């Protein structure tokens, strides 16, 4: 259709006038002026076709519609006719606002906003004015502007967003580069941009700043050095903590033991629970018996005991006695509990045993103190007499004629254990049938804390299997024990000399003065002596007479096996 | 006696006047939560600015709706296809002629700048009000028709809905302006006959409704432009009468 005469376009600059242009095409005979004529019609009024009001004289093939003939919101239709031939070559319809291409803005200039610290970038503010032909003030035209810029002689233009105001900032321009900036506008809500304005050159010279880089590197270097120094200082000051964090200490053995503090201050029932919960004894070592064998007393025949020394009794393993185990945990043996009353031991029984005992502690029914020190036995004490799980079991062996329970009444300074046979045979006679002969193995740990597993194994190894479920420790008559055996060492009862434990044998029962069956270790005083319940009164619940076949004991300090006494026991 | 009568008359007048005032105020001021609060007063200049802002926004959104409609309805693609086959397509005609088939107004609005500049303030405001009121129903109608299309974009529906709401506010603002600037009461809204004459030669490939809806959008855009222009002219006159007159 380009060969035929046609309209090449219609434009309005300010929405008040517009022009239309046409071309004659290849029809040479129509190029002369007047051959082609333009007729228009405004569809609003459905008026007649009217001819172009003004053919521009200076411009070829242009029809100019001035203000009078320009109406917006009105659709126009124009026709290109050859009147001579009465042919309409072209027709176009439009509304004026749709053909508006505003004039370019004027007064484009720029101002420097700021330069970056490095001096490499800068920002500018570009300003312009609306085209004078556009009546923006009245609101006849609402213009929006578009700014474009590029590096000089570059082919690609950067476009910024449409701006309804008359200024815009451009950020991030490089110094030492020349930029071209131009702006154009269009009517808002319409699509036709006007022509671009003339370009302006934006250029900011780069300020040579050598010192700007220099301090930066210096600062960096010093900063790094400072940080390193801080780190080193920190590491050295917190070395211990860091060592703990990074190289954690090897954890202690998981075997629960007896806390020495607990022994000093704690309750006996806790100790009992601790000891009873220890499962370090393998079944093959300890067979059916789960209790800890702490005290093993060898109980010989009373007749033999009469002849042999206490030490022998203390140490002798040839005597087959019933082995008792220091039972730290209260079990529910029916008979025993009734007779167990550590608070009221027989005072007479203990009188011979504990001649030195004058007074008792405030809270302890039976307090045995010795002037000499006893190595730390690590035996727990309890203040709750009723709960004390230290039970004594009646002794079966006849030689001692002791009850199954034995009560540790006192300790020698050297660490010897003084047992009070007390009401040994009184109540728990009935239990004698229940109990089997057992051997009391009394082993003292001198260094407190807990018995290690090795030692426990040794302990249990030397213990013959005790079939009975009930164990206890038997108080044996306090006997003088040789001190040299107690010189911080353990008294070994069995022939197994490897066991460094004290195995005091139960001395012959008749020798011992009647003491209470069992007593409760109340506390360990500062001299590491056990403070036991005073054997002041008789156990009320025990129907039998407490004073029973208590072996006569040699006079000795209150409840303690003195070292010299112990020495007599050495085989 | 006279005193009492005068007092009575005065009280009666005051009560009547306050009654009339309260009835005459069509606006319900609501705060953010929607509860009615006492209307805060606003200066005439600010009110005019706000009204112009409304009109500008409506105009811009109407143009966006037109573009969106064209794109989503793929009328342009159809046009290209038709043009390739040398079949005249009504789209350009619709665009360029926009307004030929718009519904008629009770009184014609001049289109030339000179004529518009000669319109009085009163007629400017009334024209704007009339335009706003004439488009309330058609926009609701347009929403229902647009909802019927399967692939009408949500943006288009949202815009149409938004425009409907904004038109209401614009009407309220113009009413207040009329009251303030012209000291007039409220005009009863005239009933317009919305005769949307269908396009002369609907293309068989394009459903008639699509063309009709597009034409509606075009017409609305044009009228929104009118509202904006009138209001801006009004503002120009308020600030500086001399520069707003034609030279």
């Amino acid at each position: 259709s380009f060969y035929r005469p046609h309209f090449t376009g219609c434009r309005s600059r300010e929405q008040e006038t517009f022009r239309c242009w046409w071309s004659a095409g290849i029809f040479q005979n129509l190029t002369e002026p007047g051959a082609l004529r333009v007729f228009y019609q405004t569809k609003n009024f459905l008026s007649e076709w009217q001819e172009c009001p003004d053919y521009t004289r200076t411009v070829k093939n242009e029809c100019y519609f001035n203000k009078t003939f320009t109406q917006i919101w009105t659709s126009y239709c124009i026709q290109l006719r050859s009147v001579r031939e009465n042919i309409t070559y072209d027709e176009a319809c439009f509304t004026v606002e749709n053909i508006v291409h505003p004039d370019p803005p004027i007064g484009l200039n720029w101002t420097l906003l700021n330069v970056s610290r490095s001096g490499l970038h800068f920002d500018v503010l570009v300003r312009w004015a609306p085209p004078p032909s556009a009546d923006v003030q009245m609101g006849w035209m609402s213009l929006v502007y578009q700014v474009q810029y590029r590096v000089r002689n570059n082919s690609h233009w950067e476009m910024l967003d449409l701006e309804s105001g008359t200024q815009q900032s451009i950020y991030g321009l490089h110094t030492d580069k020349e930029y071209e900036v131009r702006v154009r506008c269009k009517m808002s809500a319409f699509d036709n941009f006007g022509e671009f304005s003339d370009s302006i050159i934006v250029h900011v010279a780069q300020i040579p700043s050598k010192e700007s880089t220099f301090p930066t590197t210096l600062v960096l270097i010093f900063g790094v050095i400072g940080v390193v120094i801080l780190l080193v200082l920190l590491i050295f000051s917190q070395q211990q903590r860091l060592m703990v964090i990074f190289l954690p200490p090897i954890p202690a053995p998981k075997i629960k033991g007896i806390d020495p503090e607990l022994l000093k201050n704690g309750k006996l029932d806790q100790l009992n629970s601790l000891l009873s919960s220890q499962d370090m004894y393998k079944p093959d070592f300890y067979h059916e018996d789960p209790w800890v064998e702490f005290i093993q007393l060898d109980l010989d025949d009373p007749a033999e005991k009469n002849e042999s020394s206490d030490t022998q009794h203390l140490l002798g393993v040839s005597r087959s006695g019933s082995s008792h185990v220091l039972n730290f945990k209260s079990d529910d043996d029916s008979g025993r509990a009734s007779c167990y009353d550590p608070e009221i031991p027989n005072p007479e029984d203990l009188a011979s045993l504990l001649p030195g005992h004058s007074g008792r502690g405030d809270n302890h029914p039976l307090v045995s103190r010795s002037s000499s020190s006893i190595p730390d036995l690590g035996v727990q004490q309890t203040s709750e007499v009723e709960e004390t799980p230290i039970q004594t079991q009646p002794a079966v062996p006849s030689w001692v004629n002791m009850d199954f329970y034995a009560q540790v009444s006192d300790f020698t300074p050297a660490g010897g254990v003084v047992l009070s046979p007390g009401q040994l045979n009184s109540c728990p006679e009935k239990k004698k049938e229940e109990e089997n002969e057992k051997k009391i193995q009394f082993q003292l740990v001198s260094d407190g804390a807990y018995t290690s597993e090795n030692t426990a194994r040794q302990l249990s190894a030397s213990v013959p299997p005790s079939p009975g479920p009930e164990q206890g420790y038997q108080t044996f008559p306090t006997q003088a024990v040789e001190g040299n055996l107690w010189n911080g060492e353990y008294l070994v009862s069995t022939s197994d000399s490897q066991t460094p434990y004290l195995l005091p044998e139960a001395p012959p029962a008749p020798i011992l003065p009647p003491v209470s069956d069992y007593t409760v270790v109340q506390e360990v005083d500062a001299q590491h002596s056990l403070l036991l319940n005073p054997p002041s009164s008789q156990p009320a619940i025990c129907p039998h007479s407490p004073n029973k076949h208590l072996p006569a004991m040699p006079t000795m300090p209150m409840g303690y096996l003195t070292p010299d006494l112990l020495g007599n026991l050495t085989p | 006696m006279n005193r009492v009568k005068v007092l009575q008359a005065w009280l009666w007048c005051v009560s009547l006047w306050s009654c009339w005032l309260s009835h005459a105020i069509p606006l319900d001021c609501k705060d953010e939560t929607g509860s009615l609060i006492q209307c805060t007063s606003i200066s005439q200049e600010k009110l005019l600015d706000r009204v112009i802002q409304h009109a500008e926004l409506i105009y811009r959104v109407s143009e966006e709706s037109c573009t969106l409609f064209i794109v989503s309805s793929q009328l342009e693609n159809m046009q290209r296809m038709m043009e390739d086959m040398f079949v005249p397509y009504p789209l350009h005609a619709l665009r360029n002629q926009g307004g030929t088939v718009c519904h008629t107004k009770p009184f014609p609005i001049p289109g030339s700048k000179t004529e518009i500049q000669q319109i009085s303030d009163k007629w400017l405001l009334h024209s704007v009000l009339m335009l706003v009121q004439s488009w309330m129903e058609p926009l609701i109608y347009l929403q229902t028709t647009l909802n019927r299309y399967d692939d009408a974009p949500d943006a288009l529906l949202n815009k149409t809905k938004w425009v409907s709401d904004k038109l209401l506010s614009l009407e309220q603002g113009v009413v207040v302006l009329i009251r303030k600037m012209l000291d007039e009461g409220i005009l009863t809204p005239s009933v317009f006959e919305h005769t949307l004459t269908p396009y002369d030669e609907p293309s068989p490939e394009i459903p008639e409704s699509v063309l009709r809806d597009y034409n509606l959008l075009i017409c609305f855009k044009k009228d929104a432009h009118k509202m904006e222009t009138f209001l801006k002219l009004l503002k120009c006159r308020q600030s500086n009468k001399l520069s707003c007159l034609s030279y």
Side-chain angles (χ1 to χ4, degrees):
Chain A
S1 65
F2 285 111
Y3 305 107
R4 300 164 48 170
H6 59 276
F7 282 110
T8 53
C10 291
R11 275 205 183 184
S12 170
R13 283 169 56 219
E14 70 292 83
Q15 209 176 15
E16 297 170 35
T17 65
F18 70 97
R19 294 162 199 269
C20 287
W21 301 274
W22 71 90
S23 160
I26 59 171
F27 288 41
Q28 293 299 320
N29 51 351
L30 297 172
T31 52
E32 47 197 65
L36 288 169
R37 293 160 77 176
V38 173
F39 291 87
Y40 74 96
Q41 182 191 39
T42 56
K43 279 245 174 125
N44 266 1
F45 309 113
L46 297 169
S47 59
E48 298 280 325
W49 285 95
Q50 297 174 25
E51 195 167 356
C52 169
D54 190 6
Y55 290 97
T56 313
R57 288 186 210 97
T58 52
V59 181
K60 192 182 172 188
N61 296 343
E62 178 184 288
C63 180
Y64 171 67
F65 294 81
N66 57 17
K67 286 186 189 180
T68 322
F69 296 97
T70 307
Q71 288 189 3
I72 59 173
W73 306 314
T74 312
S75 63
Y76 282 78
C77 284
I78 51 172
Q79 281 181 349
L80 189 66
R81 293 185 198 166
S82 169
V83 180
R84 216 182 309 147
E85 300 152 11
N86 206 6
I87 305 171
T88 302
Y89 286 107
D90 199 1
E91 185 172 346
C93 294
F94 54 88
T95 52
V96 176
E97 58 264 26
N98 283 327
I99 59 167
V100 174
H101 293 75
D103 285 339
I106 59 168
L108 188 61
N109 59 7
W110 66 278
T111 49
L112 181 65
L113 278 179
N114 53 34
V115 183
S116 70
R117 278 227 193 124
S118 59
L120 297 172
H121 302 92
F122 65 99
D123 307 327
V124 293
L125 181 69
V126 186
R127 283 209 190 91
W128 59 88
S133 59
D135 195 350
V136 190
Q137 195 174 15
M138 192 189 114
W140 186 245
M141 289 172 73
S142 311
L143 295 176
V144 291
Y145 305 91
Q146 187 190 56
V147 174
Q148 291 184 3
Y149 70 95
R150 69 170 181 187
V151 181
R152 207 170 184 190
N153 296 334
N154 202 357
S155 61
H156 171 68
W157 285 92
E158 296 284 342
M159 277 186 256
L160 300 179
D161 292 336
L162 291 178
E163 175 70 36
S164 58
T166 58
Q167 64 183 29
Q168 187 152 39
S169 313
I170 307 177
Y171 302 106
L173 298 176
H174 295 273
T175 52
D176 264 358
K177 277 187 186 173
E178 281 194 344
Y179 287 92
E180 263 183 87
V181 181
R182 60 182 188 181
V183 64
R184 62 178 181 174
C185 59
K186 74 173 178 81
M187 289 226 299
S188 71
F190 291 97
D191 308 324
N192 304 317
F193 273 106
E195 294 295 325
F196 280 106
S197 66
D198 293 334
S199 301
I200 56 169
I201 306 296
V202 174
H203 176 71
V204 170
Q206 193 173 39
I207 302 169
S209 55
K210 289 176 191 172
E211 43 187 323
S212 63
T213 53
F214 181 65
T216 315
T217 35
L218 265 182
V219 163
L220 263 176
I221 290 168
F222 278 114
V224 167
I225 290 173
V227 166
V228 166
I229 290 172
L230 267 176
L231 270 175
V232 167
L233 280 173
L234 186 75
I235 286 170
F236 274 114
S237 63
Q238 304 286 332
Q239 200 170 17
Q240 296 302 322
R241 278 195 212 165
L242 287 175
M243 287 286 288
V244 171
I245 291 169
F246 289 114
L247 304 170
I250 299 166
K254 294 258 178 179
I255 302 169
K256 281 192 211 172
I258 305 173
D259 189 10
E261 295 302 316
L262 199 63
L263 291 174
K264 287 178 190 169
N265 311 317
K267 301 187 187 291
L268 195 57
D269 53 347
Q270 287 178 357
L271 172 67
N272 289 336
S273 63
L274 266 176
L275 290 175
S276 62
S277 63
Q278 289 176 34
D279 52 351
M280 54 188 171
Y281 294 104
K282 303 277 172 65
D284 50 352
F285 286 127
Y286 207 70
H287 308 280
E288 311 103 29
D289 209 329
W291 303 121
V292 172
E293 287 187 313
F294 268 81
I295 295 183
Q296 186 175 3
L297 297 174
D298 264 341
L299 299 174
D300 294 333
D301 286 335
E304 291 180 11
K305 282 285 177 127
N306 287 333
E307 296 149 9
S308 57
S309 64
D310 290 344
T311 311
Q312 285 176 344
H313 285 297
L314 203 63
L315 299 175
V317 292
S318 55
R319 276 81 179 223
S320 65
S322 64
S323 64
H324 295 262
V325 179
L326 182 64
N327 183 15
F328 283 107
K329 184 168 172 121
S330 62
D331 43 27
D332 43 5
D333 184 50
S334 55
R336 271 181 311 186
S338 58
C339 293
Y340 173 62
D341 194 355
E343 276 196 311
I344 37 176
N346 192 356
E348 282 183 328
D349 297 337
L350 292 173
S352 57
L353 277 178
L354 316 166
H357 179 69
S358 54
R360 56 185 83 158
D362 300 334
N363 304 325
H364 311 297
L366 174 66
V367 174
S368 309
R369 288 183 183 271
S370 165
S371 56
S372 53
S373 63
I374 294 182
D376 187 9
L377 294 172
V379 180
Q380 199 182 27
Q381 63 163 5
T382 178
S383 57
E384 294 296 325
V385 170
E386 295 78 21
E387 305 171 10
T388 176
I390 297 183
Q391 306 249 352
T392 59
Q393 303 230 355
V396 176
S398 56
W399 63 268
V400 73
N401 200 14
M402 290 162 60
D403 291 337
F404 195 66
Y405 303 96
Q407 187 175 20
V408 177
S409 55
D410 210 339
F411 287 88
T412 62
V417 169
V418 175
L419 297 180
S420 59
Q423 303 89 20
L424 295 171
N425 299 326
S426 54
C427 311
E429 260 191 354
K430 50 192 173 188
K431 294 187 210 89
K432 277 188 189 171
E433 295 114 23
E434 308 166 19
E435 303 297 324
N436 299 327
E437 292 197 5
K438 289 175 188 175
K439 196 175 178 183
I440 298 179
Q441 231 179 16
F442 184 79
Q443 297 174 341
L444 300 177
V445 182
S446 77
D447 68 341
Y450 50 87
T451 62
S452 66
E453 194 164 341
N454 290 333
T455 56
R457 275 200 213 99
Q458 289 167 350
L459 267 177
S460 52
S462 55
V463 174
S466 56
E470 302 137 1
Q471 295 87 27
Y473 65 86
Q474 166 131 34
T475 61
F476 53 89
T478 56
Q479 291 180 2
V481 182
E482 280 216 350
N484 54 4
L485 288 176
W486 292 84
N487 290 336
E489 296 176 7
Y490 303 115
L491 192 63
V492 180
S493 67
T494 61
S495 56
D496 186 6
S497 56
Q498 292 175 359
T499 59
Y501 293 108
L502 173 70
L503 296 173
E505 264 194 325
I511 316 171
L512 298 175
V515 296
S516 51
D517 290 345
Y518 35 77
T519 181
V520 175
V521 178
Q522 289 297 320
E523 66 177 8
V524 179
D525 66 2
Q527 293 167 342
H528 298 289
S529 58
L530 282 181
L531 304 176
L532 307 173
N533 293 324
S536 54
S537 56
Q538 296 182 6
I541 37 180
C542 192
H544 302 272
S545 82
N547 301 337
K548 256 194 185 179
H549 37 265
L550 290 172
M553 281 280 289
T555 305
M556 54 182 293
M558 192 73 158
Y560 282 86
L561 276 173
T562 58
D564 49 344
L565 286 178
L566 189 60
N568 298 335
L569 297 177
T570 53
Chain B
M1 218 25 204
N2 270 349
R3 257 193 187 177
V4 170
K5 272 195 180 170
V6 165
L7 193 63
Q8 271 183 358
W10 184 74
L11 277 174
W12 195 68
C13 283
V14 163
S15 63
L16 261 186
W17 173 72
S18 59
C19 222
W20 172 79
L21 252 188
S22 63
H23 285 312
I25 297 174
L27 298 171
D28 292 330
C29 295
K30 288 183 183 176
D31 59 0
E32 296 86 44
T33 60
S35 58
L36 292 175
I37 58 167
Q38 196 172 13
C39 297
T40 55
S41 64
I42 182 173
S43 71
Q44 187 178 304
E45 213 176 305
K46 266 191 183 173
L47 180 62
L48 189 55
D49 283 339
R50 295 280 293 274
V51 169
I52 287 171
Q53 275 175 14
H54 269 73
E56 273 178 336
L57 271 174
I58 289 170
Y59 177 51
R60 231 180 292 158
V61 171
S62 69
E63 197 266 342
E64 287 167 9
S65 305
C66 282
T67 319
L68 210 52
F69 190 92
I70 284 282
V71 169
S72 59
S73 63
Q74 297 184 348
L75 284 173
E76 275 177 333
N77 290 339
M78 295 301 299
Q79 180 193 331
R80 250 178 259 129
M81 281 167 51
M82 306 289 264
E83 277 179 352
D84 288 343
M85 300 187 289
F86 298 104
V87 175
Y89 193 70
L91 186 66
H92 265 173
L94 261 182
R95 258 189 181 163
N96 296 333
Q97 298 181 26
T100 42
V101 292
C102 293
H103 55 268
T104 55
K105 304 294 184 296
F107 50 88
I109 291 173
S112 73
K113 185 182 173 186
T114 47
E115 286 175 10
I116 289 166
Q117 277 176 331
Q118 289 161 10
I119 300 175
S120 67
D121 292 353
K122 176 175 174 173
W123 276 109
L124 279 177
L125 279 171
H126 283 299
S127 307
V128 170
L129 184 64
M130 182 266 296
L131 282 168
V132 170
Q133 286 170 343
S134 70
W135 272 106
M136 293 200 170
E137 257 194 54
L139 277 179
I140 296 171
Y141 162 80
L142 184 66
Q143 282 181 62
T144 52
T145 49
L146 284 177
N147 277 328
R148 273 192 245 126
Y149 292 131
D150 292 333
D151 51 358
D154 284 338
L156 182 60
L157 298 170
N158 293 341
K159 284 192 203 297
T160 319
K161 173 104 182 41
W162 181 89
V163 166
S164 286
D165 297 336
K166 279 292 176 252
L167 265 184
L168 283 168
S169 324
L170 185 62
E171 187 201 16
Q172 285 177 351
V174 172
V175 164
V176 173
L177 265 181
I178 288 173
R179 197 163 42 83
K180 276 194 168 182
M181 290 170 69
L182 308 176
D183 297 328
E184 287 179 9
I186 319 161
L187 282 179
T188 52
S190 21
V191 178
F192 301 100
E193 280 184 18
H194 304 289
T195 51
L196 299 171
T197 35
Y199 197 71
D200 293 338
E201 298 155 14
S203 171
E205 280 78 13
I206 306 295
E208 197 178 298
S209 61
V210 174
L211 284 176
R212 191 175 58 233
D213 294 335
Y214 183 60
N215 186 55
L216 201 64
L217 280 172
I218 296 275
C219 293
F220 176 68
K221 178 187 165 183
K222 202 170 66 165
D223 285 349
H225 189 217
K226 287 182 196 173
M227 291 182 234
E228 187 193 344
T229 311
F230 289 172
L231 288 167
K232 280 188 174 169
L233 177 60
L234 196 65
K235 178 174 170 68
C236 181
R237 285 187 191 170
Q238 295 290 313
S239 52
N240 189 354
K241 277 218 164 164
L242 287 175
S243 62
C244 302
L245 295 175
S246 60
Y247 46 86

